[in-house]
Amino acid sequence: MELTIPAEYGYVVISTIFGSLLVNFFLIYNVGAARKKHGVKYPALYSKDNEAFNCVQRAHQNFLESVQFFIASALVAGVVHPIPVTVLNVIFLLGRVVYALGYYTGDPEKRTRGGFYAFAFLGNILLSVHAGLRIAGIA
């Protein structure tokens, strides 16, 4: 298969790179605000006695634990499936924001409200496998 980048791939790049940066900046801002509000000084990553701060910090850390796989899978899958990947990207990123907002309540169980991001993440992973197979001429 000859590799041709479709025009719609631009949507993938924008939603992947710019979208993940926006979500990351949102999370960074909220961690900074929580540090100030709860008096948690750098370089402490977590508070020993403030669960509310830890929930805000954990939401950001959780995003950082998965964002590299999100970016890689979206950029690979988008070469073959640009529109579905763009839609999945928006769902993933909105889910991560809802996940964080749930965590920010101080009740970690409420983070699951944004758990729908995982379906979009899985979709991008599966589409990236399919894209790899197509590019290799197997599928």
Side-chain angles (χ1 to χ4, degrees):
M1 170 183 174
E2 182 178 317
L3 185 61
T4 304
I5 305 295
E8 296 86 357
Y9 190 73
Y11 300 127
V12 173
V13 173
I14 291 167
S15 63
T16 303
I17 304 302
F18 186 65
S20 59
L21 279 175
L22 281 178
V23 171
N24 195 39
F25 288 151
F26 168 77
L27 298 169
I28 290 169
Y29 172 82
N30 282 294
V31 170
R35 280 188 181 281
K36 188 174 184 178
K37 178 180 177 182
H38 300 292
V40 178
K41 306 288 184 207
Y42 287 104
L45 190 57
Y46 291 99
S47 172
K48 293 179 181 168
D49 58 0
N50 192 308
E51 191 68 24
F53 170 78
N54 290 343
C55 285
V56 175
Q57 175 68 356
R58 188 66 202 122
H60 185 223
Q61 288 298 310
N62 189 264
F63 177 74
L64 294 176
E65 292 164 2
S66 65
V67 71
Q68 68 275 12
F69 301 109
F70 160 71
I71 290 171
S73 66
L75 293 177
V76 169
V79 172
V80 176
H81 307 286
I83 299 304
V85 168
T86 299
V87 171
L88 290 170
N89 286 353
V90 171
I91 294 167
F92 175 85
L93 295 166
L94 287 174
R96 295 310 310 209
V97 169
V98 173
Y99 182 93
L101 293 173
Y103 233 145
Y104 294 172
T105 66
D107 178 1
E109 291 303 313
K110 291 185 179 172
R111 74 189 190 282
T112 59
R113 294 174 181 166
F116 61 87
Y117 81 86
F119 295 105
F121 186 59
L122 178 61
N124 273 351
I125 296 291
L126 294 174
L127 287 176
S128 69
V129 170
H130 182 258
L133 293 171
R134 287 262 317 266
I135 292 167
I138 298 169

